[in-house]
Structure formats: C-alpha cells, structure tokens
C-alpha cells in the first residue's frame, strides 16, 4: 500500500513554543493550514509503497551518519506571499549548515513529491493576504534555537491529516572519506 512520508529537521524543544504561536494565531483567525502540525523544518515529502520503507531507512541511516551536529538559530518571521505561508526563518549561518543536508537527502531519495531547499519553520500555510498581514503584525520578534543532531522520518495519517514521527536518524559525525587518486609510481 502506498503511503506518504516526509523527512524533516525536528526538535522537541521547538514543539511547545511554536504551538503557542500557532494557537495564538488560531485564536485570531480560526482554523488554518498547519495550525495543528508540530514544529519542523521540511526537507522533502515522497510517496512509496510500504515495502520500500526499509530501503529508504537504510539510505537515511547511511547519510545521517556523515553529518555533524550543529546549532540552528531561528531569528525572524517572514512569508512567501504567493503561497500564503508565514514562517520563522533561520539565520544565514544556520542556512549554510542546513541546505547541504537537504540537498544530500534529495539526491539520496530521488523521486520526491515535494522538496525544500529553503529552510524555514512554517507557522501557517495557504493564508489569505489579510491573514498573512495580520500574522506579520502579531509576530514581530523571535529567538529560538535547537541542536540539529538528526533527521526525522514521518508518516502521514490520512484520517488525522497529520504527519507523525516514525523514526529518527542521528548524525554520526563520520564524513565520507574522499576518494584520493592513487599513484602507481
């Protein structure tokens, strides 16, 4: 049976503070896309048959082992007006650390339904222009951080219409050895 999965950056330390922001926005504009989604930074989404899941997990174990943990700083609110997305943005330094992991994950998993190479933590999606404006007025300053030390695999539950964490892949700080051209003489 085919199921939808996503790979994300996820930290329990972000769940509660971001939930408070989402709940506050929900109290002002009622239900909106992403209002019940736990805090995360999306890397990609894909649809596969359940029988392929172990193969995907093996690939994620392998690449996660090559990454080294680092701190991620989220320090500003921003939006993508065309899609109605309001989000918390990462610092430039954090972006430099996150993007290579995102790209490596995309290359490893190949046929993806959705991929992101602009790291951000969504507060709301598909907001009307009026609600986007209201969100930007309600939220002006933010200072969050977390240790990025794993990537997380989530499965979409169509009944609840939410993704749930099913596995995590810790960073092993084992960079891949670079191929060195040997010399015979």
């Amino acid at each position: 049976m085919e199921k939808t999965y996503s790979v994300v950056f996820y930290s329990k330390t972000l769940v509660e503070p971001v939930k408070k922001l989402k709940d506050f926005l929900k109290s002002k504009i009622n239900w909106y896309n992403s209002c019940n989604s736990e805090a995360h930074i999306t890397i990609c989404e894909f649809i596969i048959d359940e029988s392929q899941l172990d193969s995907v997990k093996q690939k994620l174990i392998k690449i996660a082992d090559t990454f080294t943990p680092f701190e991620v700083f989220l320090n500003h609110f921003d939006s993508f007006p065309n899609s109605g997305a309001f989000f918390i943005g990462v610092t430039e330094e954090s972006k430099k650390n996150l993007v290579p992991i995102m790209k490596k994950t995309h290359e490893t998993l190949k046929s993806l339904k959705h991929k992101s190479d602009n790291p951000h933590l969504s507060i709301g999606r598909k907001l009307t222009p009026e609600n986007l404006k209201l969100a930007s007025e309600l939220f002006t300053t933010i200072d969050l951080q977390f240790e990025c030390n794993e990537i997380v695999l989530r499965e979409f539950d169509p009944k609840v219409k939410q993704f749930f964490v099913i596995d995590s892949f810790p960073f092993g700080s084992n960079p891949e050895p670079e191929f060195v051209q040997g010399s015979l003489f």
Side-chain angles (χ1 to χ4, degrees):
M1 185 172 118
E2 283 197 334
K3 291 188 173 183
T4 301
Y5 299 91
S6 70
V7 180
V8 301
F9 298 109
Y10 175 89
S11 172
K12 288 217 180 288
T13 61
L14 296 179
V15 171
E16 200 48 45
V18 172
K19 182 179 183 338
K20 286 179 181 168
L21 296 174
K22 290 181 175 210
D23 287 349
F24 184 62
L25 183 58
K26 190 174 171 184
S27 76
K28 300 293 182 191
I29 66 173
N30 297 317
W31 184 91
Y32 61 90
N33 283 285
S34 294
C35 68
N36 296 319
S37 174
E38 280 194 335
H40 66 278
I41 297 173
T42 300
I43 298 172
C44 61
E45 274 183 38
F46 55 95
I47 299 170
I48 58 168
D49 191 271
E50 279 180 285
S51 64
Q52 297 172 280
L53 189 57
D54 281 341
S55 169
V56 167
K57 286 182 179 186
Q58 290 307 310
K59 290 176 182 178
L60 293 174
I61 288 168
K62 188 174 179 189
I63 64 166
D65 189 52
T66 68
F67 303 137
T68 301
F70 56 94
E71 286 293 312
V72 173
F73 298 92
L74 299 111
N75 69 347
H76 64 280
F77 290 103
D78 205 345
S79 64
F80 298 129
N82 291 347
S83 64
F86 184 75
F87 62 87
I88 305 170
V90 301
T91 62
E92 280 304 312
E93 187 65 27
S94 295
K95 189 174 184 173
K96 285 179 193 165
N97 289 319
L98 292 167
V99 169
I101 294 172
M102 297 168 94
K103 289 186 187 251
K104 179 84 170 183
T105 305
H106 301 159
E107 290 165 13
T108 300
L109 297 181
K110 308 241 181 340
S111 54
L112 302 171
K113 175 181 154 190
H114 167 77
K115 62 184 179 180
S116 171
D117 52 13
N118 186 353
H120 62 280
L121 195 158
S122 292
I123 299 296
R125 293 181 305 110
K126 299 180 183 172
L127 298 176
T128 65
E130 299 77 35
N131 287 342
L132 210 50
K133 183 177 185 301
L134 178 63
S136 66
E137 290 167 357
L138 291 172
F139 305 114
T140 55
T141 60
I142 188 78
D143 183 19
L144 296 172
Q145 71 184 72
F146 69 98
E147 183 182 16
C148 185
N149 56 12
E150 65 184 3
I151 51 178
V152 170
L153 180 65
R154 305 180 314 158
E155 182 180 312
F156 186 72
D157 181 334
K159 289 186 183 100
V160 188
K161 296 193 181 339
Q162 289 295 324
F163 281 96
F164 294 97
V165 173
I166 59 169
D167 212 340
S168 60
F169 306 91
F171 294 174
S173 302
N174 292 311
E176 295 172 286
E178 291 192 30
F179 179 76
V180 178
Q181 180 69 44
S183 170
L184 293 175
F185 305 101

